[in-house]
Amino acid sequence: MHALIVVSHPDPGSLTHAVARSFAEGVAQSGDHTTEIADIAAEGFQPAFNQADRSAYFLQQPLPSDIVREQARIDRADALVLVYPVYWWSFPGQLKGWIDRVFSNGWAYDEAPDGTLGQRLGRLAVHLIGIGGADGGTYARHGYDQAMRKQIDHGIFDFCGARVVTSELLLGVNGQGGTPHLVAARALGGDAFAREAASASS
């Protein structure tokens, strides 16, 4: 099976990138599986939803070529993995823009003229790994963890019919080294397709 790991961080030496690589190592060690790491910052992905995207949303024009390319990457994958730092209790702007543009009407979902919605990503398993500086107590006390899951897991992926198999926040980065998070990411990668199979059968 194949996992597309989308990592959003401008510094290739960051903990975010190290977590993405550790997840990929776990997948590779778990069996006859493959991964692709899509570093959207290094690739220069343009996140701003533009007029061409709007025309494609209304099915008036074809999708821009960069979006067709990203969708093809996802179509080749059995699992989509997003690895990102938490900025202001959500995705970084570039990753949010990647979602805005790539998860388009007619590909991720269908919106009919009468407002009827159809889900098109039911085959896709999703693994979400956010990396935050604050500790778990801060997230729980303010409800940030639940707010993020409502916004991202439910608001984006449930809407499109994709199954969120993993939804993890690796927290407390400001208070400790990153080694425990790398160990956790490798374990998540090693278990990714087993968890996917269990989720699909439940």
Side-chain angles (χ1 to χ4, degrees):
M1 302 186 83
H2 181 66
L4 174 65
I5 303 171
V6 178
V7 58
S8 177
H9 196 292
D11 180 2
S14 66
L15 178 60
T16 301
H17 279 266
V19 164
R21 291 191 297 270
S22 292
F23 188 98
E25 290 166 4
V27 171
Q29 292 167 2
S30 69
D32 188 21
H33 305 304
T34 59
T35 61
E36 175 189 358
I37 295 180
D39 179 354
I40 60 174
E43 293 172 0
F45 180 81
Q46 296 301 311
F49 192 87
N50 57 46
Q51 183 58 47
D53 298 313
R54 186 174 186 276
S55 295
Y57 169 80
F58 286 109
L59 308 180
Q60 297 168 342
Q61 297 290 335
L63 288 164
S65 59
D66 60 336
I67 301 308
V68 172
R69 183 174 61 249
E70 296 302 299
Q71 291 176 351
R73 278 174 143 174
I74 299 172
D75 287 338
R76 291 192 297 269
D78 302 289
L80 173 66
V81 185
L82 303 185
V83 183
Y84 57 93
V86 176
Y87 290 169
W88 293 108
W89 320 114
S90 187
F91 287 146
Q94 188 177 46
L95 183 56
K96 178 56 167 60
W98 185 85
I99 294 288
D100 289 345
R101 298 189 63 211
V102 174
F103 281 58
S104 62
N105 181 28
W107 179 81
Y109 62 94
D110 289 307
E111 185 170 358
D114 65 358
T116 304
L117 293 172
Q119 299 173 321
R120 300 195 64 175
L121 294 184
R123 66 162 197 87
L124 188 66
V126 176
H127 301 267
L128 303 169
I129 304 176
I131 301 161
D135 61 26
T138 300
Y139 277 72
R141 187 165 60 253
H142 294 284
Y144 295 142
D145 49 352
Q146 292 302 313
M148 288 180 66
R149 288 189 173 98
K150 180 67 73 174
Q151 173 199 353
I152 297 170
D153 303 27
H154 177 67
I156 297 172
F157 296 106
D158 285 353
F159 182 86
C160 300
R163 290 174 291 110
V164 176
V165 179
T166 301
S167 184
E168 294 287 339
L169 292 169
L170 305 181
L171 303 176
V173 172
N174 291 342
Q176 66 178 26
T179 300
H181 293 332
L182 300 182
V183 172
R186 191 171 291 107
L188 289 170
D191 201 29
F193 287 115
R195 294 178 72 181
E196 177 185 338
S199 172
S201 63
S202 62

